């Protein structure tokens, strides 16, 4: 575990030293959680098309693999993933030949029946944020309970919850539950004051995610 922590720390330092956000990674549909079998499209929106941006990812099974390496179908600066699997859960980013990277996004694919649709990118202080608790086979307007850091926030009769004028205190780990259907995975929502801070906070959040994923993978037998 000590070796894992050191590697993650070095990874964090290297990312912070080279981040320039010359490209922006976007996800469609815009969500951090997906059901198995969903179609997901990831695009590198380039400021400098000559930089040669490539979509890469880290998962519990692969490190720095690029689109087409056994996953995804590239189409220019876009990577389309048809029928995502739980093994596609991980951290995604755009990387150029020169080394600089884009923002990073953490995607979770579940085999369960409930997901929480929440912002895939950091949100700015003062913005309104809407969360949607969604089931795979039934309408998305069922009553749902929303949780932050393990504590119940509120129950909503239609499965939607809006956090108005978000502040730093709203930053945390969110999930939802629909009675009779189950609980969603958890997703981290980052709240930032400016774009530069958003990029750095995004990296730190996802390095934390990588550490947790590696730690959990060490405890489980490889299938």
């Amino acid at each position: 575990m000590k070796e894992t922590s050191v590697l993650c720390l070095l990874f964090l330092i290297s990312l912070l030293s080279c981040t320039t956000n010359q490209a922006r990674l976007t996800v469609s549909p815009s969500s951090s959680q997906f059901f198995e079998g969903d179609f997901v499209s990831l695009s590198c929106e380039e400021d400098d098309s000559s930089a040669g941006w490539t979509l890469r990812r880290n998962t519990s099974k692969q490190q720095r693999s690029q689109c087409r390496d056994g996953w995804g179908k590239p189409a220019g600066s876009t990577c389309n993933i048809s029928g995502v699997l739980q093994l596609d859960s991980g951290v995604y980013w755009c990387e150029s030949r020169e080394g600089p990277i884009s923002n990073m996004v953490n995607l979770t694919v579940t085999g369960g029946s409930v997901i929480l649709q929440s912002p895939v990118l950091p949100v700015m202080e003062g913005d309104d944020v809407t969360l949607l608790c969604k089931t795979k086979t039934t309408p998305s307007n069922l009553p749902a309970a929303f949780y932050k850091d393990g504590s119940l926030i509120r129950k909503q009769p239609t499965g939607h919850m809006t956090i108005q004028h978000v502040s730093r205190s709203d930053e945390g780990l969110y999930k939802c539950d629909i009675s009779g259907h189950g609980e969603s995975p958890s997703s981290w929502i980052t709240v930032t004051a400016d774009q530069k801070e958003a990029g750095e906070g995004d990296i730190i959040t996802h390095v934390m995610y990588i550490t947790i994923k590696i730690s959990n993978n060490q405890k489980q037998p490889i299938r």
Side-chain angles (χ1 to χ4, degrees):
M1 188 62 191
K2 180 182 292 185
E3 181 181 357
T4 298
S5 299
V6 171
L7 289 174
C8 287
L9 178 59
L10 292 174
F11 182 55
L12 169 61
I13 293 172
S14 66
L15 291 181
L16 287 175
S17 66
C18 70
T19 298
T20 59
N21 283 337
Q22 292 177 313
R24 180 179 177 85
L25 175 59
T26 61
V27 181
S28 181
S30 182
S31 178
S32 58
Q33 295 184 14
F34 296 92
F35 294 115
E36 278 196 323
D38 282 351
F39 174 86
V40 180
S41 181
L42 303 102
S43 299
C44 298
E45 297 180 351
E46 306 166 86
D47 291 336
D48 180 6
S49 59
S50 65
W53 294 96
T54 300
L55 182 68
R56 294 188 181 275
R57 75 178 188 180
N58 278 356
T59 67
S60 60
K61 301 292 185 182
Q62 296 175 310
Q63 301 297 307
R64 291 193 71 251
S65 64
Q66 71 180 67
C67 183
R68 83 159 51 91
D69 287 348
W71 63 275
K73 183 177 181 179
S77 59
T78 297
C79 181
N80 297 317
I81 309 177
S82 299
V84 290
L85 303 172
Q86 291 184 64
L87 291 176
D88 292 312
S89 297
V91 179
Y92 292 74
W93 70 93
C94 302
E95 185 176 299
S96 76
R97 290 188 297 264
E98 289 75 22
I101 65 171
S102 69
N103 58 297
M104 307 177 81
V105 298
N106 174 14
L107 301 184
T108 300
V109 182
T110 178
S113 58
V114 178
I115 61 172
L116 174 66
Q117 288 191 334
S118 61
V120 67
L121 298 176
V123 296
M124 302 292 289
E125 283 187 306
D127 287 350
D128 292 345
V129 175
T130 297
L131 308 180
L132 169 62
C133 198
K134 183 178 179 181
T135 61
K136 187 172 186 178
T137 58
T138 57
S140 299
N141 58 353
L142 297 175
F146 292 86
Y147 297 82
K148 175 179 178 288
D149 300 328
S151 299
L152 177 66
I153 306 173
R154 71 185 76 150
K155 295 182 178 180
Q156 294 290 94
T158 59
H160 294 75
M161 183 185 78
T162 298
I163 307 172
Q164 296 182 331
H165 310 301
V166 294
S167 64
R168 288 298 182 86
S169 63
D170 294 309
E171 190 171 80
L173 203 60
Y174 288 79
K175 65 180 180 180
C176 66
D177 179 88
I178 296 178
S179 179
H181 293 272
E183 185 177 274
S184 75
S186 296
S187 285
W188 184 271
I189 294 180
T190 299
V191 181
T192 61
D194 55 57
Q195 292 297 332
K196 180 176 183 295
E197 187 177 348
E200 295 175 354
D202 202 25
I203 291 173
I204 294 171
T205 297
H206 293 306
V207 169
M208 291 168 59
Y209 167 82
I210 293 168
T211 305
I212 294 170
K213 290 292 290 184
I214 293 175
S215 175
N216 289 341
N217 194 46
Q218 287 175 339
K219 298 175 183 178
Q220 300 173 355
I222 297 176
R223 295 193 294 264

